[in-house]
Amino acid sequence: VTTGGSALVWATCDLSCNTAGQTARSTFNVSGATTTAESDALAVRNTTNAALSGSVPVKVALTPGSNTFTMTYRTSGASTSTFVNRRILVVPF
């Protein structure tokens, strides 16, 4: 996405984790003109076996130019997580 100095990002995902006490997480990172690592502070999290749908609306400060937004997924411990219906929406400013 070609952006100005910021963008509004929604990263949404249905996720579940099969082990009590462990966590499934979905978030995003940015590469290109701006480089940011994924952040647990912005992650959708689920610690249950039941599916949870979540969204992370966030305004991101960027270096103007071509920026790539990539969803990332992680599970803690030795658990197995499921991530479905994954979508990311970026509105550049």
Side-chain angles (χ1 to χ4, degrees), residues 6 12-13 15-16 20 24 29-30 42 46 48-49 52 55 60 63 66 73 77-81 88-89:
S6 64
T12 182
C13 179
L15 62 161
S16 64
N29 63 33
V30 183
L42 303 177
N46 188 359
T48 69
N49 199 9
L52 170 75
S55 179
V60 180
T63 301
S66 180
Y73 313 94
S79 61
T80 299
S81 295
I88 188 167
L89 171 67

Side-chain angles (χ1 to χ4, degrees), residues 6-12 26-30 36-37 39 41-44 55-62 69 88-93:
S6 64
L8 195 55
V9 180
W10 283 272
T12 182
S26 176
T27 188
F28 65 93
N29 63 33
V30 183
T36 63
S39 169
L42 303 177
V44 174
S55 179
V56 181
V58 62
K59 185 176 180 182
V60 180
L62 301 165
F69 297 79
I88 188 167
L89 171 67
V90 178
V91 179
F93 294 103

